[in-house]
Amino acid sequence: MKHCIIVGGVAGGATAAAQLRRINPGIRITIYEKGRDISFGNCGLPYNIGGEVSDRDKLIAATPESMAERDITVKTHHEVLRVDSGAKKVTVKDSSGDREFEDEYDYLILSPGGAPKTLPALLNVPQAFVLHNLGDLDDIKAHIDGHGVDKVVLIGAGYIGLELIENFVRRGMDVTFIHRSEEVYRPLEDDMGDFFIEEMERQGVDVRLNAEIVEVTGNAATLDNGEEIDAPLIVAGIGILPRTEFLKGSGIKLNDSGFICTGDTGRTSVDCVYALGDAIETFYQHTGGKTTVALAWGAHRMAYVIANQISGNEDVVFEGLLGTNIMRFFDYDIATLGLEQHEVLEYDHFIVDHRQRNKAGYMDSSVPIHVRIYVSKTDGKILRAAVVGTEGVDKRIDILAAHIRLGGTAADLANIEVAYSPPYSSPKSVLNMIGYKTIEKLKQFDE
Amino acid sequence: MKHCIIVGGVAGGATAAAQLRRINPGIRITIYEKGRDISFGNCGLPYNIGGEVSDRDKLIAATPESMAERDITVKTHHEVLRVDSGAKKVTVKDSSGDREFEDEYDYLILSPGGAPKTLPALLNVPQAFVLHNLGDLDDIKAHIDGHGVDKVVLIGAGYIGLELIENFVRRGMDVTFIHRSEEVYRPLEDDMGDFFIEEMERQGVDVRLNAEIVEVTGNAATLDNGEEIDAPLIVAGIGILPRTEFLKGSGIKLNDSGFICTGDTGRTSVDCVYALGDAIETFYQHTGGKTTVALAWGAHRMAYVIANQISGNEDVVFEGLLGTNIMRFFDYDIATLGLEQHEVLEYDHFIVDHRQRNKAGYMDSSVPIHVRIYVSKTDGKILRAAVVGTEGVDKRIDILAAHIRLGGTAADLANIEVAYSPPYSSPKSVLNMIGYKTIEKLKQFDE
């Protein structure tokens, strides 16, 4: 019986195991997970803090026990230390039993994920946390409850940091937001994100830009300007690094930033070794360029692809992705897709920008939506899009993704048929209008 | 100077005029409108009754005066009685001046729209109305205010009837719903629309199915079962007929139901005569079959096409449409696209049906969404789709429309990338899942 070892049992690894079992009843599957839990909804963690996921256990999609029922062996607290891709075996450390052993595979699926970054000043600070897994969630809530904490200092302006701001406010806590620059939420264009700070202030958040914590003593944190603030709870959401140290010397190719290189089959540079999830380098669907996208959609899709590849269905491949993403920040929805802002600069392009109400303008409840697209001058394709508003943003970004995926150009957006009724759109939707605007711009270039 | 006459000044005609003027500054444009008003948002009329469009005047997008500023002549209360397509002239009746005259055109655009149907028993009943134009809206509101009416009898289970039920309930009025069959909202599959009657009853609507009004005397309406009900206001929303009587003998081809035949340029069977809006027969984008779709999206798109065609831009054509539509009914969103249910039966097809929560299932606020697609066994394409739920329906139907338009198959829905974050979707969206389900069904056929 063939043996498939999976490194990492969170979203990517657990989904790959489930898909593989579904397609391939005759393969032995073992998951080694370094942490305590598998298959939890990590994107949902902040929403348990804010109360929108009232049942914490609902975040757990599968347990070692439920996996065992599907004939999948799960070993938690088991860290894979090394991969010997020549001998097709891994070295595993059982941290509960404090022993090391080797295990042989026919197929290896790597889903190690990322390791959250932190700040030097927060090392060994007992009230400093990240929110990366279910254990972190439990620890944060235990700290709040155990110490009667009603105040939190949030560091980092990425999506996890911002989602946490919203959710701690919802929990009724006083929030201080500390960020080392003035640039909040880098995925979005600065001039489209004016509302971030306004909204924080409206929500009573104490906003400290261009500031960093340099020292924490007891419950007091000292900032780089010398000020001391009350910090009975500190949560850092300052990004992740791929957890791929253990692959050094394995022969499995990593890129310069340590991400595992993959292609359209999910295979790494080494036969029978596949990778998915937040630690891989993959490619853009629309340009073919390399990218790293730590998002769940791609991980789920790649799980399906790898399960099929291992099972001999070689025509099932990964098409690449657009990095389509969305974040809610209080009333706002912020979505982008395609190239990052700095990547667009490498292309000869023009920008089409449009604001329109999300539904028929005569409806009292209609609200503005702001769409910006970056169009290739070479072929008229959409390289990047950003959409911001308080309603209907998810719809527009998803339509754009579907359109771009099948080769639709910017001008062709004029032809997109939408379901129109006053509560949902205008007869000429915001995307139609950006298509018409593109057509006019292209005419100007022709003149 | 060339002269373009436009018959009908509501959405289709007014938009065609505006587009033509924008592209073609050197053409003379005259709109003849039979009614009192032009260019009003007729889809928004019910929402003024319910209060979601609090400013009735916002429903008016353009007036004869604002059109004059753009050098477009508008004649309201002017009905075109005949078209002589050989001599390229129309006969017009000025109902305010009570005179007839002829006018010559180089181009003729027909946007006569539909005429609302009514019931024999409602003829000459002073409190019986339809809601087809702004005048009807004003009349209904004047009747309510003038007679202190707090009760309305609604007839018809199409989208106008259902929207009116919601809006009269919102207005705080007692609503009686009378429908001659048990089939409510024909565009939707019966078994997906269980909620219609339940929701009406929950909202306190007095529901009378398999009933018809046979006589009205004073404020009393007699039903066909002999019962007498209080009916101080009756509104019928039982459909429209194309208003194309005036084209008899013109040589302009109508289909068997009286709709004006058009093609991908908007041209009728006669040179220099174009048509758009609710009175035309057009074609499905995905099958090429003929259809009539009385929806605003197609009218707006065709206005652009015709304006371009008349202006010599012959490469701008109408691609056909999917009839993508949506209706809100209280909390519910009901959307369909593609072939009608009876039309699907002409194709060798299978059905894929799927229910999933609209966002991450662990979110307390997640709600079910129900998607059904009809897949051609011949080529795997989606012939028809229906989506029902209380949140996120518009997004799914619009993604489907964008996908189908560019040739995406049912199985290919598995590849659609969505913006995932717990408040918006699952990592495998409801559309991804219906794609995966299709793949499994196709495998069964292969076996």
Side-chain angles (χ1 to χ4, degrees):
Chain A
M1 188 183 274
K2 298 277 189 187
H3 184 208
C4 179
I5 292 179
I6 299 176
V7 180
V10 191
T15 308
Q19 295 283 3
L20 186 57
R21 172 56 70 233
R22 194 179 54 75
I23 300 172
N24 199 329
I27 196 166
R28 188 158 69 91
I29 304 173
T30 306
I31 298 176
Y32 290 117
E33 166 56 42
K34 183 173 177 273
R36 184 192 71 184
D37 305 293
I38 61 160
S39 196
F40 54 86
N42 43 4
C43 301
L45 299 173
Y47 299 97
N48 180 244
I49 288 176
E52 283 183 273
V53 179
S54 57
D55 182 354
R56 170 262 192 211
D57 290 349
K58 276 198 177 174
L59 291 169
I60 302 168
T63 59
E65 294 71 33
S66 71
M67 285 292 198
E69 285 169 20
R70 297 154 87 174
D71 196 21
I72 297 166
T73 303
V74 177
K75 301 282 187 186
T76 55
H77 295 300
H78 279 64
E79 182 177 3
V80 171
L81 299 176
R82 281 183 297 283
V83 174
D84 183 340
S85 62
K88 295 179 100 172
K89 62 185 182 186
V90 295
T91 305
V92 185
K93 181 182 172 189
D94 172 0
S95 64
S96 52
D98 202 22
R99 67 189 183 102
E100 281 186 28
F101 61 92
E102 292 185 339
D103 197 4
E104 292 184 5
Y105 64 80
D106 298 287
Y107 300 101
L108 179 65
I109 301 176
L110 305 170
S111 183
K117 292 193 263 190
T118 188
L119 296 174
L122 300 181
L123 292 172
N124 303 315
V125 171
Q127 77 269 34
F129 300 88
V130 293
L131 181 58
H132 188 65
N133 60 37
L134 205 56
D136 297 330
L137 176 69
D138 295 340
D139 291 347
I140 290 171
K141 291 199 297 180
H143 181 80
I144 292 171
D145 294 343
H147 297 78
V149 172
D150 60 0
K151 182 177 262 187
V152 60
V153 175
L154 235 301
I155 304 171
Y159 68 91
I160 291 177
L162 293 170
E163 287 173 353
L164 279 171
I165 290 175
E166 177 182 343
N167 278 289
F168 278 116
V169 167
R170 272 181 194 262
R171 202 181 171 90
M173 291 175 69
D174 282 343
V175 178
T176 301
F177 169 60
I178 297 185
H179 185 45
R180 62 179 176 179
S181 79
E182 292 182 1
E183 193 185 43
V184 175
Y185 201 56
R186 273 182 52 199
L188 184 70
E189 283 72 356
D190 269 356
D191 71 302
M192 293 178 80
D194 294 341
F195 60 86
F196 279 118
I197 301 299
E198 287 165 25
E199 185 65 19
M200 285 186 219
E201 289 173 346
R202 208 171 69 83
Q203 297 286 348
V205 174
D206 181 3
V207 177
R208 312 290 185 107
L209 301 179
N210 301 311
E212 265 187 286
I213 292 178
V214 290
E215 197 183 355
V216 181
T217 314
N219 277 356
T222 309
L223 305 185
D224 51 356
N225 67 359
E227 197 181 349
E228 207 169 78
I229 61 170
D230 192 23
L233 170 63
I234 303 172
V235 184
I238 55 173
I240 57 166
L241 293 170
R243 204 196 294 263
T244 53
E245 285 277 326
F246 74 104
L247 295 176
K248 282 196 177 148
S250 68
I252 296 163
K253 191 180 168 195
L254 307 181
N255 76 4
D256 291 346
S257 307
F259 291 87
I260 308 164
C261 300
T262 64
D264 65 355
T265 62
R267 218 201 66 177
T268 66
S269 62
V270 169
D271 262 355
C272 300
V273 180
Y274 297 81
L276 76 167
D278 293 358
I280 70 165
E281 178 191 80
T282 177
F283 60 97
Y284 283 121
Q285 193 177 83
H286 61 324
T287 67
K290 302 286 185 197
T291 185
T292 57
V293 172
L295 293 171
W297 187 88
H300 280 258
R301 179 67 194 160
M302 193 59 112
Y304 179 82
V305 169
I306 292 172
N308 272 280
Q309 288 287 330
I310 288 178
S311 308
N313 304 328
E314 291 178 2
D315 54 328
V316 179
V317 293
F318 189 70
E319 292 184 346
L321 39 67
L322 294 165
T324 310
N325 67 85
I326 190 162
M327 178 186 64
R328 194 185 73 192
F329 188 64
F330 295 101
D331 281 347
Y332 290 88
D333 309 305
I334 304 102
T336 72
L337 63 71
L339 301 182
E340 293 179 43
Q341 293 175 68
H342 69 92
E343 292 172 326
V344 169
L345 303 177
E346 296 163 25
Y347 292 78
D348 192 15
H349 73 279
F350 61 98
I351 289 174
V352 188
D353 198 88
H354 184 62
R355 281 182 178 79
Q356 183 172 321
R357 299 189 86 79
N358 69 319
K359 54 183 90 169
Y362 49 67
M363 297 285 282
D364 295 358
S365 60
S366 66
V367 290
I369 191 160
H370 185 179
V371 179
R372 183 175 296 170
I373 61 171
Y374 297 72
V375 185
S376 163
K377 281 193 182 169
T378 315
D379 57 14
K381 293 212 171 158
I382 299 163
L383 298 166
R384 169 180 170 79
V387 186
V388 170
T390 55
E391 202 181 310
V393 168
D394 57 331
K395 176 163 80 170
R396 275 65 180 203
I397 204 75
D398 279 2
I399 298 172
L400 281 167
H403 180 75
I404 295 169
R405 182 179 162 258
L406 293 177
T409 64
D412 195 28
L413 288 171
N415 280 304
I416 284 186
E417 184 178 340
V418 298
Y420 164 62
S421 170
Y424 305 96
S425 176
S426 304
K428 280 196 200 81
S429 79
V430 59
L431 295 182
N432 292 148
M433 285 307 299
I434 211 158
Y436 286 116
K437 274 195 174 179
T438 302
I439 292 169
E440 293 309 307
K441 284 221 175 190
L442 289 169
K443 280 183 193 161
Q444 288 164 21
F445 294 143
D446 284 348
E447 280 162 10
Chain B
M1 187 184 273
K2 299 275 189 186
H3 184 209
C4 178
I5 291 179
I6 299 177
V7 181
V10 190
T15 308
Q19 294 283 3
L20 185 57
R21 171 56 69 234
R22 193 180 55 75
I23 300 172
N24 198 330
I27 195 166
R28 188 158 69 90
I29 304 173
T30 306
I31 297 177
Y32 290 117
E33 166 55 43
K34 181 172 179 275
R36 184 191 71 185
D37 304 292
I38 62 159
S39 196
F40 53 85
N42 42 4
C43 301
L45 299 173
Y47 299 97
N48 179 244
I49 288 176
E52 283 184 272
V53 178
S54 57
D55 183 354
R56 171 263 193 209
D57 290 349
K58 275 198 177 174
L59 291 169
I60 302 167
T63 59
E65 294 72 31
S66 72
M67 284 292 198
E69 284 168 20
R70 298 155 86 174
D71 197 22
I72 296 166
T73 302
V74 177
K75 301 284 187 186
T76 55
H77 296 300
H78 279 64
E79 182 177 1
V80 171
L81 300 177
R82 281 182 297 283
V83 175
D84 182 340
S85 63
K88 294 180 102 172
K89 62 185 183 185
V90 296
T91 305
V92 185
K93 181 181 173 190
D94 172 0
S95 64
S96 52
D98 202 22
R99 65 190 184 103
E100 279 187 29
F101 61 93
E102 291 184 342
D103 196 4
E104 291 184 7
Y105 63 81
D106 298 288
Y107 300 101
L108 179 65
I109 301 177
L110 304 170
S111 183
K117 293 193 264 188
T118 189
L119 295 174
L122 300 181
L123 292 172
N124 303 315
V125 172
Q127 77 268 34
F129 299 87
V130 293
L131 182 59
H132 188 65
N133 59 37
L134 205 56
D136 297 329
L137 175 69
D138 295 340
D139 291 347
I140 290 171
K141 291 198 298 180
H143 181 81
I144 292 172
D145 295 342
H147 296 78
V149 171
D150 60 0
K151 180 177 261 186
V152 59
V153 175
L154 235 301
I155 304 170
Y159 68 92
I160 292 177
L162 294 170
E163 286 173 353
L164 279 170
I165 290 176
E166 177 182 343
N167 279 288
F168 278 116
V169 167
R170 272 181 194 262
R171 200 181 173 91
M173 290 174 68
D174 282 343
V175 178
T176 301
F177 169 60
I178 296 184
H179 185 45
R180 62 179 176 180
S181 79
E182 290 182 5
E183 194 186 41
V184 175
Y185 200 57
R186 274 184 49 201
L188 184 69
E189 283 71 356
D190 269 355
D191 70 303
M192 293 179 80
D194 294 340
F195 60 86
F196 279 118
I197 300 299
E198 287 165 24
E199 185 65 19
M200 285 186 219
E201 288 174 346
R202 208 172 70 83
Q203 297 287 346
V205 174
D206 181 3
V207 178
R208 312 289 185 108
L209 301 179
N210 301 312
E212 265 187 287
I213 292 179
V214 290
E215 197 183 357
V216 180
T217 313
N219 277 356
T222 309
L223 304 185
D224 51 357
N225 68 358
E227 197 182 350
E228 208 168 77
I229 61 171
D230 192 23
L233 170 64
I234 303 171
V235 184
I238 54 173
I240 58 167
L241 292 170
R243 205 197 292 267
T244 53
E245 285 276 328
F246 74 104
L247 295 175
K248 283 198 176 147
S250 69
I252 296 164
K253 190 180 168 196
L254 307 181
N255 76 5
D256 292 344
S257 306
F259 291 86
I260 307 164
C261 301
T262 64
D264 65 355
T265 62
R267 217 200 69 176
T268 67
S269 61
V270 169
D271 261 354
C272 300
V273 181
Y274 297 81
L276 77 167
D278 293 357
I280 70 165
E281 178 190 79
T282 177
F283 59 97
Y284 283 121
Q285 195 177 82
H286 61 324
T287 66
K290 301 288 186 196
T291 184
T292 58
V293 172
L295 293 171
W297 187 88
H300 279 256
R301 179 66 195 161
M302 193 60 111
Y304 180 81
V305 169
I306 292 173
N308 273 280
Q309 288 287 331
I310 288 177
S311 307
N313 304 329
E314 291 178 2
D315 55 328
V316 179
V317 293
F318 189 71
E319 292 183 346
L321 38 67
L322 294 166
T324 311
N325 66 85
I326 190 162
M327 178 186 66
R328 193 185 73 194
F329 188 65
F330 295 100
D331 282 346
Y332 291 89
D333 309 307
I334 303 102
T336 73
L337 63 69
L339 301 182
E340 294 178 43
Q341 293 176 67
H342 69 90
E343 292 173 325
V344 169
L345 302 179
E346 296 162 25
Y347 291 78
D348 193 14
H349 73 278
F350 60 97
I351 289 174
V352 188
D353 198 87
H354 184 62
R355 282 181 177 81
Q356 185 173 320
R357 300 191 84 80
N358 70 319
K359 54 184 88 168
Y362 49 68
M363 298 284 283
D364 295 357
S365 59
S366 66
V367 289
I369 192 161
H370 186 179
V371 179
R372 182 174 296 170
I373 61 171
Y374 298 72
V375 185
S376 162
K377 281 194 181 170
T378 314
D379 57 13
K381 293 212 172 159
I382 300 163
L383 298 166
R384 167 180 172 80
V387 186
V388 170
T390 56
E391 203 182 311
V393 168
D394 57 331
K395 175 163 82 169
R396 274 64 179 205
I397 204 76
D398 280 2
I399 297 172
L400 281 168
H403 180 76
I404 295 168
R405 182 180 161 259
L406 293 176
T409 63
D412 196 28
L413 288 171
N415 278 304
I416 284 187
E417 184 178 340
V418 298
Y420 165 62
S421 170
Y424 306 96
S425 176
S426 304
K428 280 196 200 81
S429 78
V430 58
L431 295 182
N432 292 148
M433 286 306 299
I434 211 157
Y436 285 116
K437 274 196 174 179
T438 303
I439 292 169
E440 293 308 309
K441 284 221 176 192
L442 289 169
K443 280 185 195 162
Q444 288 165 20
F445 295 143
D446 284 348
E447 279 163 10

